[in-house]
Every structure is written in C-alpha cells, then in structure tokens.
Amino acid sequence: MSRFFSERYKDLSPYTPGEQPFMKKYVKLNTNESPFPPSPLTVGYAAKAAESLNLYCDPDQRLLRRALSEKYGVGEKNVICGNGSDEILDLCVNAYCGKDKPAVFADVTYGFYRVFAQRSGVPYRTVPLDAELHIDPRDYADCGGTVIIANPNAPTGAALYPEQIEGIIRSNPDNVVIVDEAYVDFGAESCVPLTKLYGNLIVTGTFSKSRSLAGGRLGYGIGAEELIADLDALRCSINPYNVNAMTQAAGIGCLKDDGYYAENCKRIVRTRAVMTDGLRRLGFRVADSLGNFVFAAHKTVPGRTVYEKLKENGVLVRYFGTDRISEYNRITVGSDGQTEALIGALERIL
Ligand SMILES: *Cc1c(COP(=O)(O)O)cnc(C)c1O
C-alpha cells in the first residue's frame, strides 16, 4: 500500500474470491457458478442491447424492475437492482449500519459481510453457529444491530424456515434484517412474502447462481418502499448506471425463460443428492445442503489435503481454512459429468 492510502482503510482485508483459473482447465467446483450456460433467449436479449451501447443504460432500471416485480409479486417500487447482489448488500450495510448499529451476522457465513462493514468503517459482531453449524434464531432476538442472514447459509448449506426468520424480524422492530437469498432457488423457502408485512426486512437475491449469469453481475433487493428508496438514494450517489444495458436486458431474458432456469435447478438438486451419497460413501461427513454446493469434511484426511490433492487431480473446490471449518471443503454441485470427475478423483486420492 502507498503512503497515500487513506488512514480509514488501514485495517481493511479485502474479500478473497474463489480462484478463476486463467490458463489451466479444471473441473471448476469452487465458486458456485451454474454449469449450464444462459439460455439462447437470454443471450439474444443481451446481444440486442449491445447494439445500443453508445447510449447510457436506464438509470431507473424500469423494465428489469417491472419484470422482477411481476416474478415476485411485489410492487415496482419494492425492487432495486445491483451489480451483483454484493452491491445491494454493500448498500444495505452503508444505509443501515453505523456507530451504534453494528452489523450482526454468523461467525461462519459469507465472507463479504465482514469486508463490507470494515470498508464502511462500521462495527460488526459475529454470532457463533451452534455445534451442528446451524443458526439458532434465538441468538438474534432483539440484537441491537442490523442483522444479515444468508438463507440458505453459505458455506454450510443449512436454511431456516421463513417462520423462524419472521421471529427474528418481529423481535427486532428497531433494526433492519437483511436476508441474503443467493441460494434460495435450490430448495429453501423465500422470505419475499414477508417484505409485505414488515417494514424492516430486505431480501436480496442474485442471478449468479440459479440463473447462470455470474459473469453478467446482476442482483436485486426487495423490501418496503421506504427502504428501497434509501438504497436507491445511495445507489444514485455512487453510480446510477450500476447495472449495464446488456445485463439489464439479460436479466429480463432470464425472467422470460424462467422454465429453463427452474429445470436447471431441478437438475442441480438431483445431482446434489448423488454427490452427497458419493461423498458419504467415501468417508466424508456431509451436511444436508439446500444450496448448489455441499460442505464436506473427511473423517481422516485433513481438509487442506483434500483440497490440494483434488487440485493436483484437476478438480478445483473451495477451501477456507478458517477456525471452525478448517477440515471442510465447499464443493459446488456441477453437472453430472463434473460430479463423476470429482468422485473419480477422490477415489484415486483416497
Ligand atoms: C454468491 C453470493 C452472493 C452474491 O453474489 P453476486 O454474484 O454478487 O450476486 C451473495 N451472497 C452469498 C451468500 C453468495 O454466496
């Protein structure tokens, strides 16, 4: 870092994204992308929008917000779109955390929550998952901060029921609760309907996982009009063109082709069951997951060794190596072929 870098950022440790290999071909199961390409209709929408890239995109994201509002049964003013849901989550931390309002999230969860808090200079508090690596909703009752819950949680894959999250919302009338539903399409139940009942709830979602658009960068937030207006004020103070024209169009294309993406989710859920069985057969402890990934620890082989040996064998998975989860790897559920390659490589290694 240069001597000019602001004092504000002296403690900043940026998020480490999963590796994106450049030259070498891997069976890539490390960043929870979809193994399926976006549909031809989606690509067609993006290509059409590319013809008008001389013009700025719609800063109000009107067609995309309308399509999302129809999909989720909420009003157009209840929706905001971001450059990935990461951007929405960052706006939320900026909007709803401060000196006396720490961000509150699990000790084992999406690593970006901590980074957002650090970069915004707001305090944060972590709440330990229980011994089974589950969130205990009671830990969040009247918690005095802005709650962020990934549901299903990453990297564990465990989910709460909307009734449990509703309990958290009700017990925090003076705090905003953010529910990150990046993985909800793989089997958990969405809290979007609760946004109509509670003025302190924001649900975020992404097109990166279940809609094959990770590289397009598209996420959204859903909540009460006033909350969305807060986030929009911040968004337009940073970059009103945060979602580019091709991505806005691709998002509309995705929503028009909902059946294609729903079918892909079903395939992932089927493959997840096969993969879980295969891993258990090989001596892994695998928690039941509602995401497009599983979290697995081998009974005898250290987590880091599993990661390294798999990489030598051309399979990339995600190893975090942090405190409570140093024996675990998070493995994306890919195609059936990728899963066979994973299990085959593990059979050789073990
Ligand atoms: C992948 C992921 C996101 C955000 O993804 P974007 O690509 O920025 O939309 C958010 N939360 C969790 C828990 C994730 O795993």
Side-chain angles (χ1 to χ4, degrees), residues 84-86 89 110 113 150 154 180 182-183 206 208-209 217-218:
S85 57
D86 287 339
L89 292 162
Y110 188 38
Y113 304 151
D180 175 354
Y183 299 105
T206 178
S208 296
K209 314 295 169 38
R217 312 303 303 126
L218 180 59

Side-chain angles (χ1 to χ4, degrees), residues 156-170:
T156 63
L160 295 173
Y161 295 107
E163 300 78 62
Q164 295 176 294
I165 292 188
E166 186 170 13
I168 296 173
I169 298 165
R170 292 171 73 102

